[in-house]
Amino acid sequence: MKKRWYDYLWIASALYLILGFFNILFAWLGLLCFFLPLIISIATGSKAYCNRYCGRGQLFGLLGGRFGLSRRHDVPRWMKSKGFRYGFLLFFLVMFGQMLWNTALVFSGARDLREAVTLLWTFRLPWHWAYHGGAAPWVAQFAFGFYSVMLTSTVLGLGTMVLFKPRSWCVYCPMGTMTQLICRAKYRPEKVGK
Amino acid sequence: MGKGKRLARVDREHCVACGCCVKVCPKGAIQVVRGVFARVEESLCVGCGKCAGACPASVIGMEGAER
């Protein structure tokens, strides 16, 4: 099958994590992965972002597929249930809200900047080498928080890639669940046939 | 079910519409409909099973075609 430019977006995803390791302010670029899927699904009523442009999914597909790092087992039934998918989306949004709250506290001066990345919403990893000053504290705090979200989802995705199928992350990806909900709300069966 | 042509069938209720199946189909026989579920065009499906293997949610099965 002929490769198109968007089949190489996995490079952008890998580059994002690498750049953020050295300079946390690159984490802001991750907002593209947050807003683009929403904008595309609201504007077009499709999951074109997941279907074509998701570099992270491509990265898992490449590592688990071509590099053979996946056991290629079926995901457990509970993982594809609506309860788990919607529950994980809710949990993810709450954690995202908490990250925004922490940013607001730094913005208001109620709290000092914490130069750490939190992995799996639990483990605080020192990440001081990645920030060299020059930005407002709240800008840096948001970057640390957002990078934590991106790193955590990558680690989860890599874990389920190894245990199950390469793109198992797509089954419970909060952005995928959210965009599918938007598409479902816009869906009119009579317009697309059987 | 006889030994006739096999076709891919999607469990639409659990499909996450990720589009992994679309990428691997050699015949372009499967499409994601309006971001909600994948749909197989039966006249194009050759029953190779690539979509079933690629589906991360394992919601595509191979079944005998109705005659």
Side-chain angles (χ1 to χ4, degrees):
Chain A
M1 242 169 274
K2 193 186 167 198
K3 292 263 187 191
R4 295 176 185 270
W5 65 269
Y6 49 74
D7 290 320
Y8 299 96
L9 286 172
W10 61 270
I11 298 171
S13 273
L15 206 58
Y16 174 81
L17 291 169
I18 293 166
L19 288 174
F21 186 85
F22 294 107
N23 189 333
I24 200 69
L25 295 178
F26 279 107
W28 276 83
L29 289 175
L31 282 176
L32 287 172
C33 306
F34 191 82
F35 283 115
L36 280 179
L38 294 176
I39 292 169
I40 289 173
S41 61
I42 291 168
T44 69
S46 80
K47 281 187 61 162
Y49 184 86
C50 296
N51 301 164
R52 290 181 184 164
Y53 310 119
C54 179
R56 174 180 310 215
Q58 290 173 14
L59 193 60
F60 294 146
L62 194 70
L63 294 174
R66 191 171 296 177
F67 290 105
L69 298 178
S70 172
R71 298 194 309 164
R72 295 173 183 274
H73 286 199
D74 289 347
V75 293
R77 195 178 290 267
W78 57 264
M79 197 177 272
K80 55 188 172 190
S81 68
K82 285 196 169 61
F84 177 74
R85 290 180 66 213
Y86 295 155
F88 187 69
L89 169 63
L90 192 67
F91 172 73
F92 200 87
L93 289 176
V94 169
M95 290 296 143
F96 196 83
Q98 193 185 42
M99 185 266 288
L100 292 178
W101 175 246
N102 289 336
T103 303
L105 288 177
V106 173
F107 178 77
S108 67
R111 216 182 72 180
D112 292 331
L113 169 66
R114 289 183 189 169
E115 296 182 27
V117 161
T118 309
L119 188 62
L120 297 168
W121 305 282
T122 310
F123 307 107
R124 289 180 68 82
L125 311 175
W127 214 264
H128 52 273
W129 62 82
Y131 182 56
H132 317 289
W138 73 270
V139 172
Q141 188 62 66
F142 179 83
F144 280 111
F146 203 81
Y147 194 76
S148 302
V149 171
M150 297 298 270
L151 191 66
T152 294
S153 50
T154 304
V155 167
L156 281 176
L158 286 172
T160 46
M161 175 200 81
V162 172
L163 290 173
F164 310 115
K165 286 187 178 176
R167 289 187 64 159
S168 299
W169 167 252
C170 301
V171 176
Y172 62 100
C173 167
M175 291 311 300
T177 306
M178 213 164 7
T179 51
Q180 194 179 21
L181 278 173
I182 293 167
C183 291
R184 220 180 265 278
K186 292 177 72 106
Y187 176 63
R188 297 288 175 271
E190 63 275 10
K191 283 191 179 174
V192 292
K194 264 178 81 179
Chain B
M1 307 265 171
K3 285 186 178 175
K5 187 182 173 187
R6 291 192 321 156
L7 290 177
R9 295 240 191 270
V10 181
D11 171 4
R12 293 182 178 184
E13 187 61 27
H14 291 103
C15 178
V16 298
C18 61
C20 294
C21 50
V22 179
K23 286 187 178 173
V24 297
C25 179
K27 296 291 181 182
I30 192 160
Q31 297 295 325
V32 174
V33 180
R34 307 297 296 163
V36 180
F37 55 80
R39 181 172 64 188
V40 178
E41 179 56 53
E42 296 190 354
S43 61
L44 296 176
C45 180
V46 292
C48 66
K50 285 188 177 178
C51 53
C55 176
S58 303
V59 295
I60 303 178
M62 304 305 298
E63 293 176 7
E66 288 169 19
R67 289 167 192 262

